[in-house]
């Protein structure tokens, strides 16, 4: 039992990598998004119409109101009789 040797797996390809990337400027990222949207504006409009066309009437007609408010306003003059004053 004393003749058992411990197996040590050799390290393969250990490298130190620098995973930090330089930050992307805000103007560059947003300009790329806007360029993509303006390039394919017809797809954006089509998807908007396909989602909102049936969606808005469905929400309007199928949702039940949570509450109903009834109110009254009473307007009373500050001076009861203007002619006597």
């Amino acid at each position: 039992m004393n003749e058992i040797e411990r197996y040590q797996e050799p390290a393969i390809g250990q490298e130190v990598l620098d995973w930090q990337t330089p930050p992307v400027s805000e103007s560059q990222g947003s300009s790329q998004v806007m360029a993509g949207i303006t390039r394919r504006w017809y797809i954006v409009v089509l998807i908007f119409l396909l989602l909102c066309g049936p969606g808005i009437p469905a929400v309007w007609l199928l949702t039940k109101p949570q509450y109903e408010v009834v109110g009254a306003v009473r307007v009373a003059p500050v001076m009861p009789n203007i002619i006597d004053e």
Side-chain angles (χ1 to χ4, degrees):
M1 194 75 156
N2 290 336
E3 298 173 6
I4 298 177
E5 292 183 21
R6 205 180 249 187
Y7 175 74
Q8 295 181 356
E9 186 176 331
I12 299 174
Q14 289 184 351
E15 299 176 13
V16 177
L17 297 175
D18 185 19
W19 290 100
Q20 294 180 348
T21 58
V24 177
S25 67
E26 291 293 324
S27 63
Q28 182 183 8
S30 63
S31 66
Q32 290 175 353
V33 171
M34 288 306 295
I37 290 174
T38 55
R39 193 176 322 124
R40 294 178 178 86
W41 64 270
Y42 53 90
I43 296 174
V44 172
V45 170
L46 179 67
I47 290 173
F48 176 77
L49 292 175
L50 287 175
L51 292 176
C52 291
I56 291 174
V59 169
W60 186 268
L61 297 173
L62 298 177
T63 57
K64 306 241 187 280
Q66 297 280 332
Y67 57 89
E68 186 175 329
V69 177
V70 177
V73 177
R74 180 176 179 217
V75 179
V78 177
M79 297 185 323
N81 195 355
I82 297 175
I83 298 175
D84 292 341
E85 293 290 327

